[in-house]
Amino acid sequence: EVQLVESGGGLVQPGASLKLSCVASGFTFSDYWMSWVRQTPGKTMEWIGDIKYDGSYTNYAPSLKNRFTISRDNAKSTLYLQMSNVRSEDTATYYCTGGFAYWGQGTLVTVSS
Amino acid sequence: DIQMTQSPSFLSASVGDRVTINCKASQNINKYLDWYQQKHGEAPKLLIYNTNNLQTGIPSRFSGSGSGTDYTLTISSLQPEDVATYFCLQHSSRPYTFGAGTKLELK
């Protein structure tokens, strides 16, 4: 059974940093481009970025490129999203997805003082 | 960025109805268009990839069509379990972009 399990979300203060993780199982993680997608409280979906299967290449939404970093550890079948200088507008549920075929259940990040 | 205009935003239909949801891209996306279903409190689920390919395990009442800038998701005979929000996603050009969603309810 394919599983993607995100963790690391929670309540954070504006300006803080946060690192999300996504552990994959049930498929060959190292064969897939992986993406992070977020969904705002108003249900708008936004693609954050993706990373090539070997970790050699990343792409980001231009508005997030300077604050978010995607990485992966294929030995651990784990995807990461490092978020820095978070803002209230980063409040969302964050999903990891494998090739857009497989999705985790999401982890909620709330940015508030 | 490619803008995806999805319509309608809200749809009310009866069991057995044929339902269509549309996405229009701001430029040609060469059929790199997926459709997702999201039920309340759940993650999105891939229904259709690359315009008209049914994802494994998805009922055949779901189908997709389109080309260029215009794409359609069709549910041939609406079932109660189809109540959900539906999104399109273009993956022709980064940044990938989603439609705003269509909330489908039973009449």
PDB file of all heavy atoms in Angstrom, chain B residues 19-50:
ATOM      1  N   VAL B  19     -22.652  15.128 -15.552  1.00  0.00           N
ATOM      2  CA  VAL B  19     -22.060  16.346 -14.996  1.00  0.00           C
ATOM      3  C   VAL B  19     -20.790  16.673 -15.766  1.00  0.00           C
ATOM      4  O   VAL B  19     -19.979  15.781 -16.046  1.00  0.00           O
ATOM      5  CB  VAL B  19     -21.736  16.133 -13.496  1.00  0.00           C
ATOM      6  CG1 VAL B  19     -20.882  17.258 -12.953  1.00  0.00           C
ATOM      7  CG2 VAL B  19     -23.015  15.970 -12.688  1.00  0.00           C
ATOM      8  N   THR B  20     -20.635  17.945 -16.090  1.00  0.00           N
ATOM      9  CA  THR B  20     -19.397  18.373 -16.746  1.00  0.00           C
ATOM     10  C   THR B  20     -18.787  19.551 -16.011  1.00  0.00           C
ATOM     11  O   THR B  20     -19.505  20.454 -15.549  1.00  0.00           O
ATOM     12  CB  THR B  20     -19.610  18.745 -18.221  1.00  0.00           C
ATOM     13  OG1 THR B  20     -20.537  19.818 -18.305  1.00  0.00           O
ATOM     14  CG2 THR B  20     -20.101  17.566 -19.025  1.00  0.00           C
ATOM     15  N   ILE B  21     -17.485  19.501 -15.889  1.00  0.00           N
ATOM     16  CA  ILE B  21     -16.692  20.560 -15.251  1.00  0.00           C
ATOM     17  C   ILE B  21     -15.605  20.958 -16.242  1.00  0.00           C
ATOM     18  O   ILE B  21     -15.005  20.101 -16.899  1.00  0.00           O
ATOM     19  CB  ILE B  21     -16.077  20.064 -13.933  1.00  0.00           C
ATOM     20  CG1 ILE B  21     -17.185  19.677 -12.945  1.00  0.00           C
ATOM     21  CG2 ILE B  21     -15.161  21.112 -13.322  1.00  0.00           C
ATOM     22  CD1 ILE B  21     -16.687  18.943 -11.710  1.00  0.00           C
ATOM     23  N   ASN B  22     -15.368  22.252 -16.324  1.00  0.00           N
ATOM     24  CA  ASN B  22     -14.450  22.757 -17.341  1.00  0.00           C
ATOM     25  C   ASN B  22     -13.258  23.486 -16.754  1.00  0.00           C
ATOM     26  O   ASN B  22     -13.373  24.132 -15.705  1.00  0.00           O
ATOM     27  CB  ASN B  22     -15.197  23.705 -18.270  1.00  0.00           C
ATOM     28  CG  ASN B  22     -16.365  23.029 -18.955  1.00  0.00           C
ATOM     29  OD1 ASN B  22     -16.190  22.147 -19.779  1.00  0.00           O
ATOM     30  ND2 ASN B  22     -17.571  23.417 -18.587  1.00  0.00           N
ATOM     31  N   CYS B  23     -12.163  23.384 -17.448  1.00  0.00           N
ATOM     32  CA  CYS B  23     -10.978  24.188 -17.134  1.00  0.00           C
ATOM     33  C   CYS B  23     -10.449  24.800 -18.416  1.00  0.00           C
ATOM     34  O   CYS B  23     -10.287  24.089 -19.424  1.00  0.00           O
ATOM     35  CB  CYS B  23      -9.887  23.355 -16.469  1.00  0.00           C
ATOM     36  SG  CYS B  23      -9.976  23.353 -14.669  1.00  0.00           S
ATOM     37  N   LYS B  24     -10.181  26.081 -18.337  1.00  0.00           N
ATOM     38  CA  LYS B  24      -9.624  26.782 -19.485  1.00  0.00           C
ATOM     39  C   LYS B  24      -8.277  27.364 -19.099  1.00  0.00           C
ATOM     40  O   LYS B  24      -8.167  28.089 -18.104  1.00  0.00           O
ATOM     41  CB  LYS B  24     -10.564  27.904 -19.940  1.00  0.00           C
ATOM     42  CG  LYS B  24     -10.117  28.597 -21.226  1.00  0.00           C
ATOM     43  CD  LYS B  24     -11.137  29.622 -21.671  1.00  0.00           C
ATOM     44  CE  LYS B  24     -10.745  30.263 -22.996  1.00  0.00           C
ATOM     45  NZ  LYS B  24     -10.726  29.277 -24.113  1.00  0.00           N
ATOM     46  N   ALA B  25      -7.264  27.034 -19.882  1.00  0.00           N
ATOM     47  CA  ALA B  25      -5.915  27.533 -19.629  1.00  0.00           C
ATOM     48  C   ALA B  25      -5.684  28.831 -20.384  1.00  0.00           C
ATOM     49  O   ALA B  25      -6.275  29.054 -21.441  1.00  0.00           O
ATOM     50  CB  ALA B  25      -4.891  26.490 -20.056  1.00  0.00           C
ATOM     51  N   SER B  26      -4.793  29.661 -19.840  1.00  0.00           N
ATOM     52  CA  SER B  26      -4.500  30.944 -20.481  1.00  0.00           C
ATOM     53  C   SER B  26      -3.608  30.788 -21.708  1.00  0.00           C
ATOM     54  O   SER B  26      -3.423  31.734 -22.467  1.00  0.00           O
ATOM     55  CB  SER B  26      -3.857  31.904 -19.484  1.00  0.00           C
ATOM     56  OG  SER B  26      -2.669  31.346 -18.959  1.00  0.00           O
ATOM     57  N   GLN B  27      -3.057  29.574 -21.890  1.00  0.00           N
ATOM     58  CA  GLN B  27      -2.311  29.262 -23.104  1.00  0.00           C
ATOM     59  C   GLN B  27      -2.343  27.754 -23.317  1.00  0.00           C
ATOM     60  O   GLN B  27      -2.765  27.009 -22.426  1.00  0.00           O
ATOM     61  CB  GLN B  27      -0.872  29.772 -23.029  1.00  0.00           C
ATOM     62  CG  GLN B  27      -0.032  29.128 -21.944  1.00  0.00           C
ATOM     63  CD  GLN B  27       1.298  29.835 -21.765  1.00  0.00           C
ATOM     64  OE1 GLN B  27       1.357  30.971 -21.306  1.00  0.00           O
ATOM     65  NE2 GLN B  27       2.383  29.161 -22.156  1.00  0.00           N
ATOM     66  N   ASN B  28      -1.903  27.346 -24.484  1.00  0.00           N
ATOM     67  CA  ASN B  28      -1.912  25.925 -24.824  1.00  0.00           C
ATOM     68  C   ASN B  28      -1.109  25.111 -23.805  1.00  0.00           C
ATOM     69  O   ASN B  28       0.046  25.438 -23.512  1.00  0.00           O
ATOM     70  CB  ASN B  28      -1.304  25.764 -26.222  1.00  0.00           C
ATOM     71  CG  ASN B  28      -1.343  24.335 -26.733  1.00  0.00           C
ATOM     72  OD1 ASN B  28      -1.820  23.410 -26.064  1.00  0.00           O
ATOM     73  ND2 ASN B  28      -0.821  24.142 -27.928  1.00  0.00           N
ATOM     74  N   ILE B  29      -1.715  24.076 -23.232  1.00  0.00           N
ATOM     75  CA  ILE B  29      -1.017  23.237 -22.264  1.00  0.00           C
ATOM     76  C   ILE B  29      -0.802  21.814 -22.790  1.00  0.00           C
ATOM     77  O   ILE B  29      -0.466  20.905 -22.023  1.00  0.00           O
ATOM     78  CB  ILE B  29      -1.724  23.209 -20.889  1.00  0.00           C
ATOM     79  CG1 ILE B  29      -3.182  22.757 -21.017  1.00  0.00           C
ATOM     80  CG2 ILE B  29      -1.627  24.586 -20.217  1.00  0.00           C
ATOM     81  CD1 ILE B  29      -3.861  22.520 -19.674  1.00  0.00           C
ATOM     82  N   ASN B  30      -1.050  21.616 -24.076  1.00  0.00           N
ATOM     83  CA  ASN B  30      -0.652  20.376 -24.739  1.00  0.00           C
ATOM     84  C   ASN B  30      -1.137  19.108 -24.045  1.00  0.00           C
ATOM     85  O   ASN B  30      -0.414  18.107 -23.998  1.00  0.00           O
ATOM     86  CB  ASN B  30       0.876  20.339 -24.886  1.00  0.00           C
ATOM     87  CG  ASN B  30       1.386  21.446 -25.763  1.00  0.00           C
ATOM     88  OD1 ASN B  30       1.036  21.552 -26.938  1.00  0.00           O
ATOM     89  ND2 ASN B  30       2.208  22.312 -25.203  1.00  0.00           N
ATOM     90  N   LYS B  31      -2.323  19.178 -23.503  1.00  0.00           N
ATOM     91  CA  LYS B  31      -2.993  18.036 -22.863  1.00  0.00           C
ATOM     92  C   LYS B  31      -2.354  17.608 -21.542  1.00  0.00           C
ATOM     93  O   LYS B  31      -2.683  16.546 -21.015  1.00  0.00           O
ATOM     94  CB  LYS B  31      -3.092  16.841 -23.814  1.00  0.00           C
ATOM     95  CG  LYS B  31      -3.941  17.125 -25.040  1.00  0.00           C
ATOM     96  CD  LYS B  31      -4.294  15.863 -25.794  1.00  0.00           C
ATOM     97  CE  LYS B  31      -5.290  16.173 -26.906  1.00  0.00           C
ATOM     98  NZ  LYS B  31      -5.763  14.954 -27.581  1.00  0.00           N
ATOM     99  N   TYR B  32      -1.465  18.452 -20.992  1.00  0.00           N
ATOM    100  CA  TYR B  32      -0.886  18.128 -19.683  1.00  0.00           C
ATOM    101  C   TYR B  32      -1.806  18.648 -18.582  1.00  0.00           C
ATOM    102  O   TYR B  32      -1.494  19.592 -17.847  1.00  0.00           O
ATOM    103  CB  TYR B  32       0.513  18.712 -19.556  1.00  0.00           C
ATOM    104  CG  TYR B  32       1.522  18.028 -20.439  1.00  0.00           C
ATOM    105  CD1 TYR B  32       2.033  18.670 -21.567  1.00  0.00           C
ATOM    106  CD2 TYR B  32       1.958  16.733 -20.157  1.00  0.00           C
ATOM    107  CE1 TYR B  32       2.947  18.042 -22.389  1.00  0.00           C
ATOM    108  CE2 TYR B  32       2.879  16.094 -20.977  1.00  0.00           C
ATOM    109  CZ  TYR B  32       3.369  16.754 -22.093  1.00  0.00           C
ATOM    110  OH  TYR B  32       4.277  16.142 -22.909  1.00  0.00           O
ATOM    111  N   LEU B  33      -2.931  17.977 -18.477  1.00  0.00           N
ATOM    112  CA  LEU B  33      -3.993  18.420 -17.586  1.00  0.00           C
ATOM    113  C   LEU B  33      -4.523  17.221 -16.803  1.00  0.00           C
ATOM    114  O   LEU B  33      -4.880  16.190 -17.393  1.00  0.00           O
ATOM    115  CB  LEU B  33      -5.120  19.065 -18.422  1.00  0.00           C
ATOM    116  CG  LEU B  33      -6.288  19.813 -17.774  1.00  0.00           C
ATOM    117  CD1 LEU B  33      -7.308  18.882 -17.142  1.00  0.00           C
ATOM    118  CD2 LEU B  33      -5.809  20.848 -16.777  1.00  0.00           C
ATOM    119  N   ASP B  34      -4.524  17.352 -15.493  1.00  0.00           N
ATOM    120  CA  ASP B  34      -5.020  16.295 -14.606  1.00  0.00           C
ATOM    121  C   ASP B  34      -6.270  16.788 -13.882  1.00  0.00           C
ATOM    122  O   ASP B  34      -6.451  17.998 -13.686  1.00  0.00           O
ATOM    123  CB  ASP B  34      -3.974  15.931 -13.553  1.00  0.00           C
ATOM    124  CG  ASP B  34      -2.687  15.385 -14.147  1.00  0.00           C
ATOM    125  OD1 ASP B  34      -2.667  14.997 -15.338  1.00  0.00           O
ATOM    126  OD2 ASP B  34      -1.691  15.357 -13.405  1.00  0.00           O
ATOM    127  N   TRP B  35      -7.071  15.825 -13.449  1.00  0.00           N
ATOM    128  CA  TRP B  35      -8.258  16.122 -12.636  1.00  0.00           C
ATOM    129  C   TRP B  35      -8.164  15.377 -11.302  1.00  0.00           C
ATOM    130  O   TRP B  35      -7.784  14.203 -11.259  1.00  0.00           O
ATOM    131  CB  TRP B  35      -9.525  15.697 -13.351  1.00  0.00           C
ATOM    132  CG  TRP B  35      -9.860  16.522 -14.551  1.00  0.00           C
ATOM    133  CD1 TRP B  35      -9.599  16.238 -15.857  1.00  0.00           C
ATOM    134  CD2 TRP B  35     -10.535  17.794 -14.558  1.00  0.00           C
ATOM    135  NE1 TRP B  35     -10.045  17.244 -16.672  1.00  0.00           N
ATOM    136  CE2 TRP B  35     -10.635  18.211 -15.891  1.00  0.00           C
ATOM    137  CE3 TRP B  35     -11.064  18.615 -13.554  1.00  0.00           C
ATOM    138  CZ2 TRP B  35     -11.247  19.419 -16.262  1.00  0.00           C
ATOM    139  CZ3 TRP B  35     -11.667  19.804 -13.914  1.00  0.00           C
ATOM    140  CH2 TRP B  35     -11.755  20.195 -15.256  1.00  0.00           C
ATOM    141  N   TYR B  36      -8.542  16.073 -10.235  1.00  0.00           N
ATOM    142  CA  TYR B  36      -8.494  15.526  -8.879  1.00  0.00           C
ATOM    143  C   TYR B  36      -9.847  15.672  -8.210  1.00  0.00           C
ATOM    144  O   TYR B  36     -10.590  16.627  -8.469  1.00  0.00           O
ATOM    145  CB  TYR B  36      -7.440  16.271  -8.037  1.00  0.00           C
ATOM    146  CG  TYR B  36      -6.060  16.102  -8.593  1.00  0.00           C
ATOM    147  CD1 TYR B  36      -5.595  16.936  -9.599  1.00  0.00           C
ATOM    148  CD2 TYR B  36      -5.245  15.073  -8.160  1.00  0.00           C
ATOM    149  CE1 TYR B  36      -4.344  16.765 -10.156  1.00  0.00           C
ATOM    150  CE2 TYR B  36      -3.988  14.891  -8.710  1.00  0.00           C
ATOM    151  CZ  TYR B  36      -3.551  15.737  -9.712  1.00  0.00           C
ATOM    152  OH  TYR B  36      -2.312  15.554 -10.265  1.00  0.00           O
ATOM    153  N   GLN B  37     -10.098  14.716  -7.350  1.00  0.00           N
ATOM    154  CA  GLN B  37     -11.288  14.754  -6.495  1.00  0.00           C
ATOM    155  C   GLN B  37     -10.813  14.897  -5.058  1.00  0.00           C
ATOM    156  O   GLN B  37      -9.897  14.192  -4.629  1.00  0.00           O
ATOM    157  CB  GLN B  37     -12.059  13.445  -6.646  1.00  0.00           C
ATOM    158  CG  GLN B  37     -13.271  13.295  -5.747  1.00  0.00           C
ATOM    159  CD  GLN B  37     -13.786  11.869  -5.748  1.00  0.00           C
ATOM    160  OE1 GLN B  37     -13.143  10.951  -5.264  1.00  0.00           O
ATOM    161  NE2 GLN B  37     -14.971  11.682  -6.322  1.00  0.00           N
ATOM    162  N   GLN B  38     -11.445  15.803  -4.324  1.00  0.00           N
ATOM    163  CA  GLN B  38     -11.104  15.951  -2.915  1.00  0.00           C
ATOM    164  C   GLN B  38     -12.374  15.926  -2.085  1.00  0.00           C
ATOM    165  O   GLN B  38     -13.208  16.827  -2.201  1.00  0.00           O
ATOM    166  CB  GLN B  38     -10.332  17.242  -2.652  1.00  0.00           C
ATOM    167  CG  GLN B  38      -9.827  17.345  -1.218  1.00  0.00           C
ATOM    168  CD  GLN B  38      -9.003  18.592  -0.962  1.00  0.00           C
ATOM    169  OE1 GLN B  38      -9.251  19.649  -1.530  1.00  0.00           O
ATOM    170  NE2 GLN B  38      -8.006  18.484  -0.087  1.00  0.00           N
ATOM    171  N   LYS B  39     -12.500  14.905  -1.286  1.00  0.00           N
ATOM    172  CA  LYS B  39     -13.627  14.826  -0.363  1.00  0.00           C
ATOM    173  C   LYS B  39     -13.273  15.539   0.922  1.00  0.00           C
ATOM    174  O   LYS B  39     -12.104  15.749   1.238  1.00  0.00           O
ATOM    175  CB  LYS B  39     -14.006  13.373  -0.117  1.00  0.00           C
ATOM    176  CG  LYS B  39     -14.509  12.684  -1.382  1.00  0.00           C
ATOM    177  CD  LYS B  39     -15.000  11.281  -1.134  1.00  0.00           C
ATOM    178  CE  LYS B  39     -15.539  10.682  -2.426  1.00  0.00           C
ATOM    179  NZ  LYS B  39     -16.027   9.295  -2.241  1.00  0.00           N
ATOM    180  N   HIS B  40     -14.293  15.908   1.661  1.00  0.00           N
ATOM    181  CA  HIS B  40     -14.111  16.729   2.857  1.00  0.00           C
ATOM    182  C   HIS B  40     -13.123  16.072   3.823  1.00  0.00           C
ATOM    183  O   HIS B  40     -13.298  14.924   4.219  1.00  0.00           O
ATOM    184  CB  HIS B  40     -15.458  16.949   3.539  1.00  0.00           C
ATOM    185  CG  HIS B  40     -15.380  17.841   4.731  1.00  0.00           C
ATOM    186  ND1 HIS B  40     -15.097  19.182   4.635  1.00  0.00           N
ATOM    187  CD2 HIS B  40     -15.511  17.568   6.041  1.00  0.00           C
ATOM    188  CE1 HIS B  40     -15.080  19.704   5.845  1.00  0.00           C
ATOM    189  NE2 HIS B  40     -15.333  18.751   6.713  1.00  0.00           N
ATOM    190  N   GLY B  41     -12.101  16.829   4.187  1.00  0.00           N
ATOM    191  CA  GLY B  41     -11.136  16.357   5.154  1.00  0.00           C
ATOM    192  C   GLY B  41     -10.113  15.365   4.620  1.00  0.00           C
ATOM    193  O   GLY B  41      -9.319  14.817   5.395  1.00  0.00           O
ATOM    194  N   GLU B  42     -10.119  15.132   3.310  1.00  0.00           N
ATOM    195  CA  GLU B  42      -9.203  14.158   2.718  1.00  0.00           C
ATOM    196  C   GLU B  42      -8.211  14.832   1.776  1.00  0.00           C
ATOM    197  O   GLU B  42      -8.386  15.978   1.372  1.00  0.00           O
ATOM    198  CB  GLU B  42      -9.984  13.084   1.972  1.00  0.00           C
ATOM    199  CG  GLU B  42     -10.898  12.253   2.855  1.00  0.00           C
ATOM    200  CD  GLU B  42     -11.598  11.156   2.082  1.00  0.00           C
ATOM    201  OE1 GLU B  42     -11.302  10.957   0.881  1.00  0.00           O
ATOM    202  OE2 GLU B  42     -12.453  10.477   2.688  1.00  0.00           O
ATOM    203  N   ALA B  43      -7.188  14.081   1.403  1.00  0.00           N
ATOM    204  CA  ALA B  43      -6.232  14.555   0.415  1.00  0.00           C
ATOM    205  C   ALA B  43      -6.843  14.455  -0.980  1.00  0.00           C
ATOM    206  O   ALA B  43      -7.769  13.675  -1.211  1.00  0.00           O
ATOM    207  CB  ALA B  43      -4.958  13.715   0.483  1.00  0.00           C
ATOM    208  N   PRO B  44      -6.332  15.222  -1.922  1.00  0.00           N
ATOM    209  CA  PRO B  44      -6.781  15.070  -3.310  1.00  0.00           C
ATOM    210  C   PRO B  44      -6.471  13.673  -3.837  1.00  0.00           C
ATOM    211  O   PRO B  44      -5.479  13.058  -3.445  1.00  0.00           O
ATOM    212  CB  PRO B  44      -5.966  16.127  -4.065  1.00  0.00           C
ATOM    213  CG  PRO B  44      -5.600  17.130  -3.027  1.00  0.00           C
ATOM    214  CD  PRO B  44      -5.382  16.343  -1.776  1.00  0.00           C
ATOM    215  N   LYS B  45      -7.336  13.211  -4.731  1.00  0.00           N
ATOM    216  CA  LYS B  45      -7.147  11.907  -5.358  1.00  0.00           C
ATOM    217  C   LYS B  45      -7.112  12.108  -6.858  1.00  0.00           C
ATOM    218  O   LYS B  45      -8.007  12.759  -7.419  1.00  0.00           O
ATOM    219  CB  LYS B  45      -8.288  10.959  -5.006  1.00  0.00           C
ATOM    220  CG  LYS B  45      -8.191   9.596  -5.682  1.00  0.00           C
ATOM    221  CD  LYS B  45      -9.502   8.833  -5.632  1.00  0.00           C
ATOM    222  CE  LYS B  45      -9.854   8.384  -4.274  1.00  0.00           C
ATOM    223  NZ  LYS B  45     -11.064   7.521  -4.275  1.00  0.00           N
ATOM    224  N   LEU B  46      -6.114  11.552  -7.518  1.00  0.00           N
ATOM    225  CA  LEU B  46      -5.999  11.674  -8.969  1.00  0.00           C
ATOM    226  C   LEU B  46      -7.070  10.828  -9.647  1.00  0.00           C
ATOM    227  O   LEU B  46      -7.182   9.628  -9.398  1.00  0.00           O
ATOM    228  CB  LEU B  46      -4.610  11.227  -9.412  1.00  0.00           C
ATOM    229  CG  LEU B  46      -4.331  11.222 -10.914  1.00  0.00           C
ATOM    230  CD1 LEU B  46      -4.411  12.635 -11.493  1.00  0.00           C
ATOM    231  CD2 LEU B  46      -2.968  10.598 -11.195  1.00  0.00           C
ATOM    232  N   LEU B  47      -7.842  11.480 -10.525  1.00  0.00           N
ATOM    233  CA  LEU B  47      -8.871  10.779 -11.296  1.00  0.00           C
ATOM    234  C   LEU B  47      -8.418  10.523 -12.734  1.00  0.00           C
ATOM    235  O   LEU B  47      -8.527   9.417 -13.244  1.00  0.00           O
ATOM    236  CB  LEU B  47     -10.157  11.612 -11.352  1.00  0.00           C
ATOM    237  CG  LEU B  47     -10.855  11.983 -10.064  1.00  0.00           C
ATOM    238  CD1 LEU B  47     -12.029  12.898 -10.372  1.00  0.00           C
ATOM    239  CD2 LEU B  47     -11.298  10.741  -9.319  1.00  0.00           C
ATOM    240  N   ILE B  48      -7.982  11.580 -13.374  1.00  0.00           N
ATOM    241  CA  ILE B  48      -7.647  11.573 -14.795  1.00  0.00           C
ATOM    242  C   ILE B  48      -6.296  12.263 -14.961  1.00  0.00           C
ATOM    243  O   ILE B  48      -6.087  13.341 -14.399  1.00  0.00           O
ATOM    244  CB  ILE B  48      -8.680  12.362 -15.628  1.00  0.00           C
ATOM    245  CG1 ILE B  48     -10.097  11.826 -15.427  1.00  0.00           C
ATOM    246  CG2 ILE B  48      -8.281  12.398 -17.103  1.00  0.00           C
ATOM    247  CD1 ILE B  48     -10.396  10.551 -16.147  1.00  0.00           C
ATOM    248  N   TYR B  49      -5.390  11.643 -15.731  1.00  0.00           N
ATOM    249  CA  TYR B  49      -4.115  12.296 -16.002  1.00  0.00           C
ATOM    250  C   TYR B  49      -3.918  12.494 -17.504  1.00  0.00           C
ATOM    251  O   TYR B  49      -4.433  11.726 -18.311  1.00  0.00           O
ATOM    252  CB  TYR B  49      -2.936  11.529 -15.381  1.00  0.00           C
ATOM    253  CG  TYR B  49      -2.731  10.122 -15.903  1.00  0.00           C
ATOM    254  CD1 TYR B  49      -1.846   9.851 -16.941  1.00  0.00           C
ATOM    255  CD2 TYR B  49      -3.421   9.054 -15.334  1.00  0.00           C
ATOM    256  CE1 TYR B  49      -1.660   8.571 -17.404  1.00  0.00           C
ATOM    257  CE2 TYR B  49      -3.240   7.765 -15.797  1.00  0.00           C
ATOM    258  CZ  TYR B  49      -2.354   7.530 -16.824  1.00  0.00           C
ATOM    259  OH  TYR B  49      -2.172   6.241 -17.288  1.00  0.00           O
ATOM    260  N   ASN B  50      -3.216  13.559 -17.813  1.00  0.00           N
ATOM    261  CA  ASN B  50      -2.954  13.903 -19.214  1.00  0.00           C
ATOM    262  C   ASN B  50      -4.230  13.884 -20.055  1.00  0.00           C
ATOM    263  O   ASN B  50      -4.310  13.215 -21.095  1.00  0.00           O
ATOM    264  CB  ASN B  50      -1.877  12.998 -19.802  1.00  0.00           C
ATOM    265  CG  ASN B  50      -0.529  13.207 -19.145  1.00  0.00           C
ATOM    266  OD1 ASN B  50      -0.295  14.254 -18.532  1.00  0.00           O
ATOM    267  ND2 ASN B  50       0.351  12.240 -19.239  1.00  0.00           N
TER     268      ASN B  50
END
